[in-house]
Structure formats: C-alpha cells, structure tokens
Amino acid sequence: MTKEQYVYSFKEGNAGMKNLLGGKGANLAQMVQYGLPVPPGFILTTQACLKYGAEPSFLDEIWGDVERAMKELEALTGKSFGGGSNPLLVSVRSGAPVSMPGMMDTILNLGLNEQSVEALAQASGDRRFAFDSYRRFIQMYGNVVHGVNADAFEHVLDEVKKKNGVAFDNEISSGSLEEIVKQFKEIFKKATGHDFPSDPWEQLRYAIVAVFKSWGNPRAVTYRKLNKIPDSLGTAVNVVSMVYGNLGDDCGTGVCFTRNPSDGTKELYGEFLVNAQGEDVVAGIRTPLPIAELKAVMPRIYDELFRITTNLEKAYTDMQDIEFTIERGTLYILQTRSGKRSAGAAVKIASDMVAEGLIDRKTAVSRVTPEQVEMLLHRQVDPKATNEVLAKGLPASPGAGVGIVCFDADEAVELAQAGHKVILARPETCPDDIHGLFAAEAIVTSRGGMTSHAAVVARGLGKPCVSGCESVVIDVDRETITRSGRVIRKGDTITVDGSAGRVLVGAAPLQSASFSDEFKTLLGWADELTPLQVWANGDTPEDAKRARSYGAKGIGLCRTEHMFMAADRLPVMQRLVTADTIEERLAALNELKVMQREDFYGILKEMHGLPVIIRLLDPPLHEFLPKEHELKEDLDALVAEGKGQSPEAEKIRSLMAKVESLKESNPMLGFRGCRLGVVYPEISEMQVTAITEAALQLLDEGVDVRPEIMIPLVGVREEMEFFRTLVDDRVQVILKEQGKKMSYLVGTMIEVPRAAFVADDIAETAQFFSFGTNDLTQTTFGYSRDDAEGKFLGAYEAKGILRVNPFNELDRDGVGALMQIAVTKGRSRNPNLSVGICGEHGGNPNSIAFCYAIGLNYVSCSPFRVPVARLSAAHAAMGLLK
Amino acid sequence: MTKEQYVYSFKEGNAGMKNLLGGKGANLAQMVQYGLPVPPGFILTTQACLKYGAEPSFLDEIWGDVERAMKELEALTGKSFGGGSNPLLVSVRSGAPVSMPGMMDTILNLGLNEQSVEALAQASGDRRFAFDSYRRFIQMYGNVVHGVNADAFEHVLDEVKKKNGVAFDNEISSGSLEEIVKQFKEIFKKATGHDFPSDPWEQLRYAIVAVFKSWGNPRAVTYRKLNKIPDSLGTAVNVVSMVYGNLGDDCGTGVCFTRNPSDGTKELYGEFLVNAQGEDVVAGIRTPLPIAELKAVMPRIYDELFRITTNLEKAYTDMQDIEFTIERGTLYILQTRSGKRSAGAAVKIASDMVAEGLIDRKTAVSRVTPEQVEMLLHRQVDPKATNEVLAKGLPASPGAGVGIVCFDADEAVELAQAGHKVILARPETCPDDIHGLFAAEAIVTSRGGMTSHAAVVARGLGKPCVSGCESVVIDVDRETITRSGRVIRKGDTITVDGSAGRVLVGAAPLQSASFSDEFKTLLGWADELTPLQVWANGDTPEDAKRARSYGAKGIGLCRTEHMFMAADRLPVMQRLVTADTIEERLAALNELKVMQREDFYGILKEMHGLPVIIRLLDPPLHEFLPKEHELKEDLDALVAEGKGQSPEAEKIRSLMAKVESLKESNPMLGFRGCRLGVVYPEISEMQVTAITEAALQLLDEGVDVRPEIMIPLVGVREEMEFFRTLVDDRVQVILKEQGKKMSYLVGTMIEVPRAAFVADDIAETAQFFSFGTNDLTQTTFGYSRDDAEGKFLGAYEAKGILRVNPFNELDRDGVGALMQIAVTKGRSRNPNLSVGICGEHGGNPNSIAFCYAIGLNYVSCSPFRVPVARLSAAHAAMGLLK
C-alpha cells in the first residue's frame, strides 16, 4: 500500500482530478498538461483540508511535502522563497471541487518581508510595485488570517490619496507606499497583539491554515446550504508562483470568456485592466475595458490569448471563463473553468456547439439548467414603456424586476419576508450581501463590471441585475440614489431592466418572455431523452392554446369551477347554491350545462388529438356566494334608505342565511370535492352531460377528442365506485340517446393521505390517478397553506426547521412517501394505470426528478412552466437532478 | 369421498355443530344427546341454504333426504304427515349460527289441510284447537311464504271477537274459527291469486324455501350489517314435530332463563302462559305470568323444568334461555341457548359462576362485553327526582334516558338526525322498527313482557326500555300517551327509567352509574389478561382522581390549554396573546406560570407513582380571545352611548385588530401546536418551568412524581429536536439553580401523517409517542370534524360510502396504516419507545383491539370510559375483538 499523496505539483494532475485537487487546481494542472503558460505551482488536496479539519496536527505530517514542493517551485522559477536577490512570491488560494465564486479566501504576494521587498524592488526595478505588493499582502494576510478589519487599511489608503490629491491606488507614490506599509503593520499589531510575521514559512503555514478554515466560514456554509453542496467535499489549496500585472503599462490582467456569457455570441468576451492586479477586476473596484480593446493595446498578446482560449474551449468542449495576467509582455493563464452564462446564452451556446459538431444533443440538453429555462421565461420590460430612465449600466443579468428600493441586505430580507418586492441597490456587493441578493427581485450597483460579484451572483440566481451604473450615486447612509438632482429614496418603486442594462423610475409595464427557435429545438431534444411527459393545467381555450405552444402533451387539470366565476355565470351558480328544492337546483343546472358545454367544446377542440383531464366541481359551495360582510353592508345601506322590508332586503337576508349555513370551520377539509357530488349527484351529472355532449359534437365535426373525467378528493374506495357508476351511467344514457360511441376515461386525484393507502382498491374503478400535491402537502403536514405562509413558515425556514417551503418543492419524506405508496398499490391492482401530478410541484425541477424516479407518466403544470418542466424531465432521466 | 350431508336428524348432531346446523338446531340436537324431552325433528344445514341461494334447483337434489327424514319423524311420533287419523304437524323455523332474535321467519302447524284438520280434531278431541291451529298456520304461511299482509288476517279476528263480544283469541268459539279459516283462505286467494295449498309436501317445500330466502330479507340484512355478522353464514332450517301448549288448561308454554337476565340473581326466571302457543309469549301479544307461579299451577312440571334447566346451565356453563311447551301435562324443551342479559346481570353472573367454580376468571371476563361495561356506566335517574310518574311497567333494559316522545320509527330516525334526543313510544315493537330503536334514547311499550321484542332488542343495544306499561294507552294515530286524563303529546319531554320500570313526565335529573365491587373485581381479572394498559385523559386533579378510581394506570393527556380558559386566567392569557413586545409577553407568562404550577402540582400529586403526560399549549391563540361579533357588539354599544373615543373603545378596537390578525382560513391546520412554541419559545419555556417547579416541590414533599412533557403536532424531525433541546435546557437550568435531580421524559404526539413517515427520525429525540387520532383522522381523510359531521358524514353513512364514522371507530386502512408505520419506524430507531394513543378512539373497543394488534403500550381515554377500555384491552388480547 502506497502512502496517500496530499501535495501535488501541477504537472502531476489533470482535469479529471477535481474532487481531489479542486476545480481550479485540476484545471491549472490540465493546462500544464496542454503546455499552456501557467505559473508553476502545487496543490494541497481536499483530503488534506478534511484531515486538517479533523485534527490540526495533520499539517505537521505533510509539511515536509510542502517544503519539497516549494523547493521545486524555486527550481522552476529560478527564484528563492524568503530571501536572495530574486524572491519567490506565491499566491495561496482556495479551490473547492464545486465552484463557489467569491466565497472563500485568497492571499497574494506571500513571501514578502523587509528583506525580500527590497530584493523584489531591485529585481523588478520597480520600488513602487514592490511596496504596493507588500501593502496588498499585509492587507490580505491581516484580513484573511487574522480577521483584521479591511476598513482600517482602506482608511489609511484613502487618507494618503486625499493628502496627495490623487484619485486611484496606482497613483500613490513609492514613498507613500513605504509609509503605508509601516502604518499597515501597526494596524496589524494593534489588532492582533503581535508583529506582522516576517518568516515566509510562517506566512505560508498560516495562510494554508486560513484557507483550510475558510471552508467552514459562515458565508461559505450558507452558500453551500443554499446551493446544496455537501460540507464533506473540502477545499484544496493552490500555492502558485506570483506573476504581476501591475509592473507597468506592458502589464495587465483580465478575465475573459470564450463566448459572450450574456447572449451566447461566439466571440472572445471579457475585460482587462492595464497595470493592475487580478483582484482589481474581480472585486469590481475599477471598471475595466472590454477585451476587444486589448487587440489595440497589446496585439500580440491578444492573438496569443485568442488562440489559447479557443483551444481551451475545444479541449473542454464548453465555454470557458479564463483569468490571465500579462507580466511585462508575457501572457500567463491563471485559471480556466466552465463559464457561468445567462439562460439565453446557455441555450445559444449549447445549440451552436451542436451545430459546430463540438457536442451532441444530449450534452447540449445537459448544458442548460431548468433554472435557466425559468429565467428565459422571465418577464422583460415592455418596449413601449415610457418610464423615465434613472440610470444606464451594464446588462449584467437579464430579465426585469419591479420593487421598492432598499440599500441594505438585512433590510431586503426583512422587507421581502413582510411580502414586499425589493430592489437591492448597492455601490457594489460582496459575499456578505448574499442573503440580500437572494431576497431581492433585482439588483443595481453603481460600480463593477459584467464579472463583478453582483453580476455573477445575479446571473446564477436568475435575478435581473444592472451593474456599473456610474452615472448615479448610490448613498447607503442617506439611503438615496441620486443623478443630477433627481433623488430616489428608500421605499420608492423602481424597475430594473437587466436585459437592457437600464434602471427606470416607477413600475414599468412588463411582458412575458419570448421563446426562440433554438430554445424550441433544444426542448425537442430534451423530450426525446425522457419517458416522462409534460402536460399543462388549463381552464380555458386560451390556456390550452398556450400549453400546446409550449409543448404540453395534454391538459392534466381543467378546473371546471373557474368557469363558474365569470360575471355572466356567477348569478346562475348562486341560484344553484341557494336552491331550496331539487327543481330549483335542476333549473339552474340546466342553464349551467349549456355554458359548460361551450367551455368544454373550446378546450377539447384546442387539444385535438391530446388528452384533456376535466375535474368535476371541487371548491366548497360558499366560494360562489358573496362575502358575508358585503351582504351586511348592502343590507345596512337598504335599511338606511328605509328599504329594510323591501324584497331586495329580504333577498339579501335569505342569502345571508345561506352563507351562514354553508360557513365552515376549516373549509379546506370541509364540504368540497367529491363530497359535493355524493350529496348533490345532480351537479356531477350535469357536468358529465356537458362534457359528453361537447365531445360528441366535436366527434361529429371530425375532431379527435380525448376527454378524461377526474373525481376530486377521493379517499374512500366507495367514493370512486359511486362516481365511476354515476359517470358511466350518464354517458351511456347520452350515447344511447344519440346512437353514438365515444372513448373516455374516469379517474381520480390522489390528494388526501388516505387515498394512497387504499389506492389499490381505488384503482379497481379509477382508470388514472393524478396527484394533487397542493392539498396532499396541506394534509400530510397539517399545514393550511393560506395560514402557514403568513404565520409560521417564515420562522420555520429562518430557524432551519424546514430547509425549503414544502409548497414549493415536493417533500419526499412525507408527501413523496405517500405518492410512492399510491403508485405501487395502484399499479399492483391495475398495471396499466396512468399516473401523473397536477399540483404546482409539477413545474418544480427537483419535484419533477422525484416524479420521474417513482415512475409517473406525466407531470402537469402551469402552461408558462411547461418548458422548465420539459427540460427538468430530461435532466431527471439523465440523472442530473436529485 | 363421502357425499356431503345436508339433512341431519337431531340425534346426529350436537352443540359443536353450530356453523352447520345453526345455533338452535345444534342445541336441540345436543339436548337430544343429553336425553332431554325434545320433540323429534331434523335440520336442513346452513350449507343447504347457501347452495339453494346459489342455485334454487339444489332443493330437488336433497328432497329425497327431506322425505326420508319426514318418514323417520313419522316413525318416532307414530303420526303420519298429511293424512291418517293421527296427523303429523311440524314447525319450520330458521336457525342461524349466530342468534338473530326475531329477525327471521317461522311457520307453525304445517301439515294441516281440510282432511288433517278433521283428523287432528278427532285425535286431540278438541275441534276448537284444531281449527285455531289451522287458522294460525294459514296466517303465518300466508304472511311468511307469500307476503300476505298480516293486518288483513288480524282484522278478521278482531271483527269476530267484536261480533261475539269476547276480548281474547282463546275465547273464540270453535264454530267461529271454522268460519275464520274460510275467510283466511279467501284472503290468501285474493292476495296470491291461487288457492291455499292442501298438499302438505307442497306446504313443506315452500316453507323451507321461505326460510332459506328469509336469510336475505331486508331486516335480516340490516341486522347483520349493524351487528357485523357475515352474509356468508346462511341459516339452517329446523323441521320439528309440533307439540301444543294450547290444548287446554293442562297445557301451556313459556320462556325461562336459568338466572335473572336483568340483575343476574341465581333463580329460575321467566314467564309462561296457560293454554297458549309459544308465539303468544314471544310476540308480546298477551302479558304472561312470572315463572314462579308455575310452581303453584303445575308443581310437577315446575320441578322437572327446574331440574332440566339447572342441568342445561351446568352442561353449557352459561346462563341459558329456554323455550318450553307443556302438552297435556308433558313438558317439552323446544330450545336452549345462551341467554341475553343486561350488563349488570352479565357481571354478576360471570362473577357468581367463578365463585361457584363453574367457569374460570378468563371465561368470566370473556362473558362481559365492552358494550355491557359501557351500559353499566350508563346514567340512572336520580333517586331524589320528584317528577310525576306517568306509567309503571317492566324494567326491560336498565339505564335512563330523557327525550322528546315520538311514535314512529322513521320519525325517530329523522328527529335524531336533526339532533334531538328521542324516546320511541309504541304499543309494541316489531323487527320493522329496528332503525327507530337504534335512533332512540330509550323505548317505552304498553304491551309485551321482559322477553318481548322491544325488551330483547333494547337490552342488546344498551338502551333503557320500559315494556308492558299497561296502565297507559299509546295511541300511534293520535300521537299521544294517555293515562286517565293525563295526556303526553308528540314532542313532549319524558324520562324513561329502564332500571326501575318507570316512565316520568319531563326531564328527570340523572346520575352517573355506580361501580360495583364485583365489577371492579372482574376488571382486575381483565387487567391480568392483557399487556395493554389503560390510561386516562384528564386536565384537573378531579379528572386524575376519577381516572385512578376507574383504574387508569397513568394520565395519557393533560391539556394545559384548558387551564387557561378559567375565568381568572383568561384575562392574563389575553394579555399574553395581545402582547406587542416580548416584555409584555414575559410579564403575562410570569403570572400564568404561577397558576400553571398550581395545576401541575395538583395533578402530579393525585397521580403519585404513575406517569402524567402533560402536553404543551396546542390550540390557535385566537381561541383565547373574545369572538369578533361580541367585540363588535360591545363597541357598537359604547358608540351608541357616545363613548366611541373612550379608552375602553380604543381597547376594544385594538383587540379587534388582534383578532383580525390572528384569523385563519383553516385553524385546524394553522398556527397551533408546536408551531406556537417555535415562534414564541418563551411560552413553552414558561410551561416547562411550571411543570419542573411543581414536580420539584412534590419531590421535596416525598411524592413520587413522573412528569412526561409532550410536544403537540410535530411533523418534522427538526421540530422535535428544537423542543427536546428547549425542554432539556430549561429543566437543567432549574435543576442547577435548585441543586436537585428529577426524572422526566420528553415525547411527542403523532397526529399529522408526515410524522408517521419520519417517526424514525423523530424517535431519535422523542422518548415516547402518543397518537392523536382525532387530528390524525382529520388530516388522513381530509375531513374537518366540525364541518364533516354536520355537512356530509350523514349522507356518507346513509349512502354506504362509510360503514362507520371514522371519528368514532379508528379507520384501519388509512389512519391505522399510518399508526403501524409510525410504530415500526419509531421502534426501529428506539426499540424501547413507549407508544400510546390519546385520541377519543382510545376508549372505543374495536379501536383498542387495533391498538393491541400493533403493539401499543397503552390506550388513554376519558376517565369515564376507562372500565370499557380495560375490558376491551383484555378482550383484544383474548382475540374476542376484531
């Protein structure tokens, strides 16, 4: 048995070793394999991080390996660590197996001390650079290793700049920097109680420890929790010899993408800064130049970069996000990784790469996430909007959001929890703001580019974001956004147009997303990769049309009660509900039947050739009556007019009595669903008649109709038997009367826990099941959704009692367990039973993955979510969703 | 393989063959084995009934066996069937394996026709007897075989009696009877369209067919459904040679019990009629004499009867119900079976028989049913009641009931469904009234004895009944009960004192049942037969005391919220609920803590040495606030007084706002249970503090306290973890402060379906489970109990969709399945987990049987139901309950 290796030189690794070397390290090693200009370095593995976490003395065991690796670095660079005339400086960075942008710590220029800074000044011929590097090192080391407040350092810098009348860091003189270094060391000593360490080996050791520990820092833990990344991965530590982009105007640093991450165009896209270090770009402190301008500034470098990045994309067969530095005319690639991209870009890139023969269709489908599809379906600002433009900035993340402005992440969370839609406005954002970004509808920053923290995170979250709005001042203390006299205050409403990079005053009209041909093609590929169909819930011919256009393969839930709410129908429905005799009830039903027949005619026609599941009346009858307090007001008004004894007043009184008699303590669990039809079978018979008559008319017209009648809220075998008989009897009577034939199915919703346990019995008379997971979640948890979301679910999520809101993502442990029981029992009695889901979870990716796993035939969701569901169904089949 | 035997002579059978020969036939056969004077006969088996039901031609296959059996009867009796000078007459009776008193049909005197009636007249020397038998035969045969309306026959009899100025059937002259026979035959012909059959073999065939068919008549089907008797048993047919109790004054007939079926006294108890046929006694048409008087009338017969019945009881080791006939000084035993008895009698008989060495304790426990225990716990009329006595009658079924009088079974059902308590008053009852008897609180009849239909059924149902109130006239047409000018009309309230045989005017005060020493002893024996303990639910020291006195082994549910509803506490609770700041809340909690500590002190002290499970606050907070409309009325009153701006008015307005903010759509599924404690942990902490302080005080006083803290409505593992930590932390703080030690447990209710599925996770921090099956039934079915029982459960039971109300009897398929999952999962993680039930089902016998079957440790129910539960737990362990 060989001893486990915890320290790898770049040349010992490759891209396949991400779990051990971290994403960044594995890619750096792979680039070395490709012969690319990567600064030499080595990696402490993720296993080393975990071992250290379990037992800190572990670092002593591998310290010899670290020393050997440093010796190798010295040999490769010809520099020496901590001394000599050509000092070796290194960066120490975290690199986890999964990308966690900006979440963990980095220290640059490690190895500097009083001696080596002088040697660096001599070797580089640039004293200013040497001391600037030193002060950066002290600043980062102090902050990362000892938690010294970054503001204290920044304050010194600001004072110096003010005193010297300069605006930017790079304008500070060499002499001032030496003074700054002294002051930084004093700050360090004051904060930590001891001198800044001058021994480079001590620096290295503490830096490595700090990166190991950063795996457990609160913002990293939060990020992992939100992104469902296991804590057990650990982070690797990359120790890389420093190269410098800030040694003069033949230096620079930048970030680029092999394709445009915003719209997917095949072009080298990115930003760079001349005479700057990489941190300046990533942190968004200075606004960089577009990469195209590099061609003019450094044409040879641009060409080399273009060649290298093109090859990297081909090698990885995916769009790459590459960091580079130019040190005195030499290009170094510091990092490559799959680039984050907007939803639109994801679709375009995947589609283009298939056309280019770079990837196959399955890979293309895997490259677009359900979340991105959801973003594509995000709203946009209506082009006809005439709102005043407050600011223009960078279109950092597409989509549009309207909300009230707020300037603090904590406050954004509070306002969102109180039900407000919030726009978070910040000069720039940092990882500490992550909870605010989650809570916001959209984000605006006055500083930072397309790769700034706010931009990257917003794209990841699918939130609209406009960054770099330099024309406005975002004042966090005064809580204002100001542009030449125009002031927007906290609580004012604004619109963020992330697609166009604009911020508008007031609430602009929004419009829903368009649906590109490439997107349609991709979804077509997705459909081929999964047996799980996507249907849509829809109550009108318009819904049905939209569902078809989004690719739905059927209507999984047509709620007949919505048809009764229309203005011309409600009075008839009220006559039905208030009927005292069966005759009055039948008269109202006859009128309703004519209306319902029209509704069903329209939907069945629109869905020709595809199944339409029509659910019989479900809600409690009192929902069709006016509210008690409205009636009371009307009556009071009549009494005030002296018409207290008029026929109108009597009518209101009788209506009030009916409302009173139908009142329920818990209507969710009350007289609704199939219970209505057991007590008033004539209502169900009317609906079955309307469906049958509409279907027969369409059959006469040559339309292929596939009606399926669904009984809601069944929990007892005998309920299903009752309705199967009722439906079959009614349909047969009509078929006999008209001398015709028709195919149809009768099935049920599974939406109370008991139904799952008797699903085998129910499946004897039900020809299909559809999970009503909204109600099933309510009954399984004992949560009334209406009450829970306002009263305690917030506290439950905040206190970590629930990881997600079970009304958003299907609860597998409880609701899912019941679904599994129902599927197993139902199919045990009826092996061909078709089973679907028509609760809102039918449009949620992780919920869809579960539906796939338990073998459902289809998911049915809102027409707008059909594309998300189609892609999710494919990803589920490919094992990409859990 | 031998051919299956479908016809058995009595001498071929015995008491062990009940399933094949029916209860009556098997016992007759057994009596023949004992050498008792049983009229010769034979039996067509239950299998024959079922075969006939499947294929009527089956009767032809066994008709040869019937003929052979008749030949044997002729040989044994020396009479000939259908002719000759000494005609053989037979009775044809049903006899199912399970007793169904009065439910099926009987035909007597079969074999009579124009010739044989004359032969009978000659052979008996009593022409009157012969024709009276003939007219009875025509009447029964017409009614049973052809459904001829019995009233038509009775009308003829009444007319003849009126014409001849006589009151009783036995006063009708021989000549008149011949005329009656003619008229009866005409009635028969008019109703059926053909002549009354004179061929005895045809009579026999149709009578057997009628009995077979009677198994499927509606009242028998209803009875079986109500009593859970399987339809697949079938009934046997007993064909028995007739003996006559109506041949003169040396004849008679009667029914007797080996012990008093009303109070259990060891005495020959029963009734007889001289010169009458058995039907006269059973139908309650004539009021018979007490059996003791037989000693005076026929001392030899009495002694023989006493000897035979005593031996029968010893042989069957149970109290027997025996029918006998005396034919011209010869005693015949027509039937013996285990006698129905009142609950009190059941206990006394079982207890006495153990003392007599006749049965063992286990058998004694099996002889008393849970339903009888429930009856024993029935109310009685307070001895101090001064209500006017309307009538005295026979104490036919013990207990007392108050209600409004009604005179029709259908109406009784309607009134009961509308929520009224009903007393059913009838001259006498018949099997067609069975639904009315079920619906009534109590029953009164003016005719019939202790063995009349009303009396037998009422005892079975545990309803109070007074029969034979001959001093009053119950007029069904006028809907009155009249006694010498005193008139009670429909809708008037009366009280039935079934224990004393009195009917009282108005609503008499009632008192709860007493608890005899024999009963206590029997329950003690029951406890020894089962591992399933019985605990009680109780919220006060009084409840706890009662629970102990009824034999509860712990408090399974102490609802702390009930303590807050007291007049002196509600205002403090309201201050808590309406608190705007944590300080206000803590101040109110401090006051409540002192009160709660007292409550817990009292209960824990009363239950010394036994566990007390205290549930933390459960109901939604708005339950502690005044109702919205009450506040509105108060405010309106203040406004009317011109005090609309007064501080009181403002206070009401602020209270109204709070009520509004706490309003919920579905409070059952809302902000309640442990959800309250997650949001307001200080409330839970107060309760834990109060429990701990009370317990510590009692420990100081040397009392053995066993507090267990129960968290309501847990459905998520993290909820239980949260509260386990909260409770343990709080208790530890107090123990440390006081420097003391205390044992306690923390557990949870399982009352939402999800809890069952994550029971393994919950059991990691929960030390016990208690099923809250009220809520679990609501969530599993999706039924709000408050709404369902008023709105649709009635229709569900009426339409056969639910066999029983799942709030009364535990639903095994759904709720039970969840319980099974929870027990299995919970114990998989925590093998010693104590599991009980504290829903109302904990007091329901069949539900208790299920709790036993799935291995619960205890059931907890209302203190009043503890005795029922104790016996049920024993019966469950003995396999007597399903």
Side-chain angles (χ1 to χ4, degrees), chain A residues 202-440:
Chain A
E202 186 187 339
Q203 293 171 1
L204 182 63
R205 189 185 188 98
Y206 282 106
I208 288 170
V209 165
V211 174
F212 280 162
K213 285 185 174 170
S214 74
W215 181 249
N217 80 31
R219 67 173 199 261
V221 171
T222 302
Y223 185 93
R224 288 202 296 275
K225 202 171 160 190
L226 291 168
N227 289 277
K228 295 172 203 161
I229 299 168
D231 289 337
S232 62
L233 292 182
T235 183
V237 182
N238 299 290
V239 178
V240 189
S241 53
M242 290 295 302
V243 290
Y244 289 97
N246 55 350
L247 292 182
D249 289 344
D250 59 348
C251 300
T253 190
V255 174
C256 67
F257 295 85
T258 55
R259 308 205 179 203
N260 184 317
S262 191
D263 65 14
T265 307
K266 190 175 180 186
E267 63 181 0
L268 188 61
Y269 179 93
E271 297 159 327
F272 75 102
L273 279 169
V274 170
N275 199 15
Q277 221 165 327
E279 284 300 293
D280 298 333
V281 182
V282 174
I285 293 168
R286 283 165 57 192
T287 303
L289 301 170
I291 201 85
E293 293 187 24
L294 185 63
K295 202 166 189 171
V297 180
M298 302 177 189
R300 188 184 50 79
I301 295 289
Y302 179 84
D303 290 346
E304 189 185 354
L305 181 65
F306 186 81
R307 201 184 63 245
I308 289 171
T309 55
T310 305
N311 287 335
L312 277 172
E313 184 184 271
K314 276 190 190 142
Y316 284 104
T317 68
D318 195 7
M319 186 266 263
Q320 295 295 297
D321 167 357
I322 296 152
E323 286 181 24
F324 62 92
T325 284
I326 305 148
E327 186 181 83
R328 289 183 173 155
T330 301
L331 174 67
Y332 290 97
I333 304 297
L334 303 187
Q335 175 169 311
T336 192
R337 56 182 174 186
S338 280
K340 303 233 170 210
R341 64 207 77 179
S342 75
V347 171
K348 179 161 171 53
I349 292 170
S351 176
D352 286 352
M353 284 186 171
V354 170
E356 292 162 22
L358 212 54
I359 57 174
D360 63 11
R361 289 176 175 188
K362 185 171 173 180
T363 307
V365 170
S366 76
R367 289 279 170 81
V368 181
T369 65
E371 291 73 19
Q372 286 173 324
V373 172
E374 193 174 347
M375 276 176 243
L376 279 179
L377 302 168
H378 271 177
R379 303 157 306 171
Q380 303 291 341
V381 172
D382 188 328
K384 296 178 207 120
T386 55
N387 298 59
E388 177 193 347
V389 176
L390 177 69
K392 287 204 167 195
L394 299 171
S397 182
V402 174
I404 56 172
V405 190
C406 111
F407 296 84
D408 178 78
D410 291 340
E411 199 173 5
V413 171
E414 282 169 33
L415 287 166
Q417 279 175 351
H420 295 285
K421 294 191 183 295
V422 183
I423 308 293
L424 182 64
R426 299 282 302 170
E428 61 196 296
T429 66
C430 67
D432 291 338
D433 297 317
I434 189 92
H435 57 303
L437 295 169
F438 266 93

Side-chain angles (χ1 to χ4, degrees), chain A residues 661 663-669 675 678 719 753-754 757 779-782 784 787 791 796 799 811 813, chain B residues 661 663-669 675 678 719 753-754 757 779-782 784 787 791 796 799 811 813:
Chain A
S661 81
K663 206 181 258 181
E664 294 186 303
S665 309
N666 299 287
M668 212 320 267
L669 307 177
R675 300 160 197 172
V678 170
E719 288 173 326
R754 193 177 191 279
F757 290 109
T779 48
T780 303
F781 276 85
S784 164
D787 304 313
K791 294 231 163 56
Y796 265 47
K799 297 196 180 189
D811 162 58
D813 292 343
Chain B
S661 80
K663 206 181 258 180
E664 294 187 303
S665 309
N666 299 288
M668 210 321 264
L669 307 177
R675 300 160 197 172
V678 171
E719 287 173 327
R754 193 177 191 279
F757 289 109
T779 47
T780 302
F781 276 85
S784 164
D787 304 312
K791 295 230 163 54
Y796 265 48
K799 297 196 182 189
D811 163 57
D813 291 342

Side-chain angles (χ1 to χ4, degrees), chain A residues 729-748:
Chain A
D729 286 357
R730 192 71 212 114
V731 173
Q732 288 313 316
V733 164
I734 300 170
L735 293 183
K736 201 173 254 180
E737 277 170 10
Q738 301 200 11
K740 291 178 186 164
K741 286 188 177 176
M742 178 183 92
S743 298
Y744 66 99
L745 297 176
V746 188
T748 183

Side-chain angles (χ1 to χ4, degrees), chain A residues 27 71 139 178 181 229 280 324 327 344 377 415 432 439 468 471 524-525 544 649 674 704 732 753 755 764 830 844:
Chain A
N27 281 328
K71 290 285 168 233
Q139 199 171 346
E178 286 185 51
V181 163
I229 299 168
D280 298 333
F324 62 92
E327 186 181 83
L377 302 168
L415 287 166
D432 291 338
S471 60
W525 298 340
C674 70
D704 175 13
Q732 288 313 316
E764 287 186 2
N830 179 354
N844 171 269

Side-chain angles (χ1 to χ4, degrees), chain A residues 29 78 117 125 137 167 181 191 232 255 283 295 317 326 343-344 362 391 489 563 600 681 701 773 809 881:
Chain A
V117 72
F137 170 52
V181 163
S232 62
V255 174
K295 202 166 189 171
T317 68
I326 305 148
K362 185 171 173 180
R489 297 178 196 286
M563 303 172 179
F600 297 139
E701 296 169 14
T773 51
E809 186 177 321
L881 287 171

